[in-house]
Amino acid sequence: MNIYHYILLTASIICFLASLRQLIQALNKKGDLDYAEPKGTANPAISYSFTNAMSPKKKETAFLHLPTYTAGILFHIGTFLCIFLLAVNFIGFNIPEKIGYVIVAIMAVSIISIIAIFIKRIVNAKSRVMSNADDYFSNFLIIGFQVISCLAILMDNLLPLLFIYASVMLLYIPLGKLKHTVYFFAARIQMGRFYGYRGVWPPKRNKI
Amino acid sequence: MVEKKYQPALDIFDKMLHGKLKTHLNSCVHCGLCGESCLYYLTHKEDKYIPGKKVDLISAIYRRYYTLLGKTVPKWVGAKDLNDETVAEMVDLIYGACTMCGRCSMHCSIGVDIAFLVRAGRSMLVEINKVVPGLQSTVDAALNTGNNMGIPRDELIDTIEWIAEDLEMELDDEKATIPLDKKGAKVLYTLNPREPKFFPLSISAAAKIFYAAGEDWTLSPDAYDVTNYCYFSGDDKGGAVITQRLVDKVAELGCETLVLAECGHGFRGNRWEGPNYINKSYPFNEISIVELIVEYIREGRIKLDPAKNTKKVTIHDPCNMVREGGVIEEQRFILKQAVSDFVEMTPHGVNNFCCGGGGGQLAMSEYAERRIKVGKIKADQIRATGAEIVVTPCHNCIDQLMELNKEYKLNVEIKTIGEIVADAIVI
Ligand code: SF4
Ligand code: SF4
């Protein structure tokens, strides 16, 4: 372990604890007790909330905006892959060259997707009106993270830069827009609870 | 620091700030994709109508007073002070440009419950007396007179009596009546005050169904209003007063079941929100008349002949009863038994478009022009079905549909579920 490892480890722990706190607070039912007689149950609806309800077959924001939705899915896959690579690099595991090239290819698709979304945020009037500095910065932070992760596969000497960059990103996650990493899960769970309790999700076509 | 006059809004916000509210305040990623799910944005194509912008009105205030970056570098995260400007914007968009239909919430990229946030914003505005006057006067009428139209007790009794006389004549049976304040009746039925005022046929239809089913039921002239406009205004305290009236009346008469008349928000307000306003579960059963009719059909207590309704019928789904209330297939089950030609709108069910009259819009004459404009989406949906009759289990929706019928020359009849069932009933 060198100094960069320690910096990354510290940032990861801070990010993890802050995010965990946010998640616990978000899912805490105290104060949100429901006294109404339920018509359904939460768990199947929560599963539905994370699966079919998110699919382009059901979700208008997906099927009416298929290119954006697809780019969004791709770059999120890329981001999680980068976090996995970061962990791999942290423990000092050497990625075999051929697998490295495959990862770089996947990452290239992800980077193109996130850059496309970034450009859309800048040039599309509707997206621009929705955005604040934090939105652009968060987007930019993830582009940088993916690009450096990708380059670090090809160039070992970039690992210190990757560790420092990732540390900054991890420390920013609980503060700005990137906290949706946690709140996305909380929101889907809350939505599942709500529609499940009321018997709306999962859909029961022609059944009463 | 917030100006003193706005402090009560932050105080109530602080009280409401539990897990669910925190979740939805922190979730929006500003993608803007929800625009196409909202009738206001689809109609006006103005950025301020994007549901995510409405979310931001409330979350920007949250960020300003509750987050590190919002407190230190507000511009960076788009945090805003609660001041004259933001309050004016909230009133215009949170009351005047949202029916709280929940369509955007269901389709949001992330799962932000936008309608829930809008309701939270309205609760803040209640505390600083910023409820739109039209809506507040409806709430005041309900709180002060016991019903949202301020109908005097004697006038209601007169109306009920002549409806009962007509029913007795129609069915040629003196047992076909409308019992008032009957102690120990199994069912206490409710009304939307628009029924005695403008739509007595709806009451007559319900009475006919109860008669055919052999139901032991009653109405109370002192507590019958199914509506609860405090749900729309954002006033939980007033909501509790209105809820408690019906709860007390059920107890006083010793009824087993409270049956909710055809009213979308009345259903939601009583079925889902009411117990939370009074902080306890109801000690009785509660069911909508739509669900009860399904039970009657299933149990063979009423028989319907679809040949009695041969015109093409479509259904409009009230948001608060369907997407936000869970009564989705029941009305379809009934219509398939009651009419011979049924056609769905596109989209329908949980994906329905609001008629434009929800969220208290019908009470806010201040925004009447917007309401009629956004209703064009519903008008186009109706026209596309080719239906001659539009059925909806909501008197609020009926009012809006009647206005749309006139404005967009739809040339359709508009009926409640009860009315179409009463037409099909075999006695
Ligand atoms: S779709 Fe959801 S996440 Fe995107 S702007 Fe609308 S509310 Fe926010
Ligand atoms: S709740 Fe309905 S009216 Fe309000 S923003 Fe969402 S889609 Fe629009």
Side-chain angles (χ1 to χ4, degrees):
Chain A
M1 295 251 285
N2 58 31
I3 178 77
Y4 302 109
H5 283 82
Y6 284 113
I7 292 172
L8 180 60
L9 186 64
T10 310
S12 304
I13 291 171
I14 293 172
C15 175
F16 175 76
L17 291 177
S19 301
L20 187 66
R21 181 170 172 265
Q22 287 176 342
L23 188 65
I24 291 170
Q25 284 185 347
L27 296 179
N28 187 353
K29 284 187 186 167
K30 202 174 147 236
D32 290 326
L33 285 179
D34 201 334
Y35 292 98
E37 181 77 17
K39 192 177 180 181
T41 44
N43 287 348
I46 292 171
S47 309
Y48 179 81
S49 175
F50 279 103
T51 50
N52 283 358
M54 296 281 293
S55 82
K57 266 199 282 179
K58 298 279 178 196
K59 199 165 73 167
E60 225 169 62
T61 46
F63 69 74
L64 292 179
H65 304 273
L66 219 41
T68 308
Y69 172 79
T70 312
I73 297 273
L74 289 173
F75 95 70
H76 278 89
I77 291 172
T79 307
F80 285 111
L81 185 59
C82 288
I83 291 170
F84 174 72
L85 285 176
L86 187 66
V88 166
N89 281 317
F90 183 82
I91 57 172
F93 181 82
N94 276 330
I95 298 166
E97 205 179 306
K98 278 187 184 159
I99 295 181
Y101 287 131
V102 174
I103 294 174
V104 169
I106 296 172
M107 288 309 305
V109 176
S110 168
I111 291 166
I112 291 167
S113 302
I114 189 167
I115 290 177
I117 284 188
F118 189 51
I119 292 171
K120 185 186 169 199
R121 203 176 266 286
I122 295 169
V123 300
N124 180 287
K126 189 169 130 209
S127 303
R128 221 170 33 236
V129 93
M130 291 297 304
S131 307
N132 54 47
D134 177 34
D135 293 310
Y136 294 111
F137 177 71
S138 300
N139 213 322
F140 188 76
L141 209 52
I142 298 297
I143 294 176
F145 179 52
Q146 295 204 4
V147 170
I148 297 171
S149 300
C150 204
L151 292 176
I153 296 173
L154 307 169
M155 293 176 266
D156 271 357
N157 58 351
L158 284 183
L159 278 185
L161 174 66
L162 175 64
F163 282 17
I164 294 289
Y165 191 95
S167 302
V168 172
M169 187 190 76
L170 287 166
L171 290 174
Y172 191 71
I173 283 178
L175 297 176
K177 179 240 187 96
L178 292 178
K179 64 184 165 198
H180 78 268
T181 315
V182 167
Y183 285 106
F184 163 78
F185 292 98
R188 299 303 313 173
I189 291 171
Q190 293 280 12
M191 193 127 267
R193 277 182 188 166
F194 176 80
Y195 286 127
Y197 202 81
R198 295 189 177 198
V200 176
W201 279 358
K204 309 167 205 67
R205 257 204 103 50
N206 302 320
K207 278 190 223 142
I208 43 174
Chain B
M1 279 293 284
V2 66
E3 268 184 82
K4 206 171 155 215
K5 63 180 175 181
Y6 294 138
Q7 189 58 47
L10 282 188
D11 292 343
I12 189 83
F13 187 73
D14 200 63
K15 276 198 200 131
M16 294 187 296
L17 200 52
H18 300 299
K20 186 174 172 183
L21 186 55
K22 268 190 192 150
T23 298
H24 296 300
L25 285 166
N26 283 293
S27 302
C28 177
V29 294
H30 297 155
C31 66
L33 302 183
C34 45
E36 282 72 16
S37 298
C38 174
L39 65 168
Y40 284 90
Y41 181 74
L42 283 171
T43 305
H44 296 278
K45 295 278 185 254
E46 281 178 56
D47 299 328
K48 66 177 182 178
Y49 294 122
I50 299 170
K53 282 302 259 181
K54 298 170 200 171
V55 167
D56 227 29
L57 290 172
I58 304 138
S59 61
I61 290 161
Y62 163 76
R63 289 194 289 274
R64 181 72 182 104
Y65 299 102
Y66 289 89
T67 69
L68 181 66
L69 294 182
K71 284 178 191 172
T72 51
V73 277
K75 283 231 165 76
W76 181 260
V77 288
K80 285 186 185 165
D81 286 313
L82 188 64
N83 55 28
D84 292 349
E85 199 187 324
T86 45
V87 165
E89 221 182 337
M90 280 171 80
V91 171
D92 183 49
L93 295 173
I94 283 178
Y95 280 119
C98 179
T99 62
M100 294 157 80
C101 72
R103 193 168 192 279
C104 52
S105 315
M106 190 168 258
H107 290 285
C108 163
S109 319
I110 297 288
V112 181
D113 194 338
I114 299 154
F116 171 75
L117 290 177
V118 164
R119 174 65 167 55
R122 289 186 177 195
S123 295
M124 292 169 76
L125 295 170
V126 166
E127 297 300 310
I128 49 175
N129 302 318
K130 288 288 178 186
V131 181
V132 172
L135 181 55
Q136 187 59 52
S137 66
T138 307
V139 166
D140 290 342
L143 289 172
N144 298 331
T145 70
N147 70 85
N148 75 42
M149 300 201 73
I151 303 171
R153 190 178 193 275
D154 292 349
E155 191 183 315
L156 178 91
I157 292 175
D158 277 355
T159 307
I160 297 294
E161 279 173 354
W162 73 251
I163 294 171
E165 278 165 25
D166 277 4
L167 188 73
E168 193 186 316
M169 274 200 302
E170 183 196 332
L171 298 172
D172 197 17
D173 185 348
E174 62 183 23
K175 284 193 214 120
T177 180
I178 301 180
L180 292 180
D181 276 338
K182 182 180 167 199
K183 288 238 179 209
K186 195 170 158 236
V187 160
L188 175 64
Y189 187 54
T190 52
L191 300 174
N192 182 314
R194 301 195 73 73
E195 295 177 71
K197 200 84 185 164
F198 305 117
F199 303 98
L201 276 183
S202 295
I203 305 175
S204 167
K208 190 172 170 184
I209 295 166
F210 286 136
Y211 168 81
E215 189 58 89
D216 177 18
W217 72 294
T218 190
L219 254 183
S220 172
D222 301 311
Y224 62 89
D225 187 352
V226 73
T227 71
N228 194 337
Y229 275 80
C230 292
Y231 170 68
F232 289 145
S233 70
D235 176 3
D236 285 4
K237 280 182 238 133
V241 171
I242 292 172
T243 302
Q244 194 64 47
R245 272 188 200 138
L246 285 175
V247 171
D248 290 345
K249 187 51 77 177
V250 175
E252 184 193 317
L253 296 176
C255 301
E256 270 174 39
T257 305
L258 179 66
V259 176
L260 305 169
E262 296 186 57
C263 174
H265 93 271
F267 173 77
R268 179 182 184 156
N270 285 287
R271 172 68 177 85
W272 294 112
E273 315 297 342
N276 300 323
Y277 294 150
I278 60 170
N279 282 316
K280 56 175 183 268
S281 302
Y282 296 146
F284 49 81
N285 303 321
E286 193 185 36
I287 190 171
S288 81
I289 181 84
V290 175
E291 293 164 295
L292 189 62
I293 293 171
V294 170
E295 274 184 30
Y296 289 161
I297 296 172
R298 285 226 165 117
E299 291 165 6
R301 288 173 67 179
I302 58 170
K303 294 241 170 322
L304 304 181
D305 179 5
K308 292 188 172 190
N309 284 315
T310 52
K311 287 183 180 169
K312 194 180 217 178
V313 173
T314 189
I315 184 155
H316 162 65
D317 291 295
C319 310
N320 281 310
M321 194 161 185
V322 180
R323 180 169 40 243
E324 307 290 294
V327 179
I328 304 159
E329 296 299 329
E330 285 84 346
Q331 50 277 39
R332 294 174 162 77
F333 173 84
I334 295 169
L335 286 180
K336 281 170 193 162
Q337 316 268 335
V339 307
S340 56
D341 191 0
F342 170 58
V343 58
E344 290 278 18
M345 289 186 203
T346 309
H348 61 265
V350 296
N351 292 313
N352 78 313
F353 275 104
C354 177
C355 60
Q361 294 302 330
L362 275 154
M364 295 187 263
S365 52
E366 295 85 344
Y367 300 108
E369 206 184 313
R370 260 188 214 168
R371 169 170 59 78
I372 295 296
K373 267 194 191 156
V374 299
K376 183 169 185 298
I377 294 179
K378 182 55 61 184
D380 290 344
Q381 274 190 290
I382 292 170
R383 205 189 308 275
T385 63
E388 294 164 272
I389 299 177
V390 182
V391 172
T392 186
C394 173
H395 271 283
N396 207 46
C397 297
I398 282 187
D399 276 9
Q400 169 76 346
L401 292 174
M402 285 174 76
E403 286 195 45
L404 299 180
N405 198 13
K406 206 162 127 205
E407 176 74 21
Y408 297 105
K409 302 185 175 46
L410 296 173
N411 217 2
V412 289
E413 282 176 69
I414 298 155
K415 292 188 171 190
T416 60
I417 293 273
E419 287 165 15
I420 207 106
V421 166
D423 288 344
I425 220 156
V426 181
I427 292 183

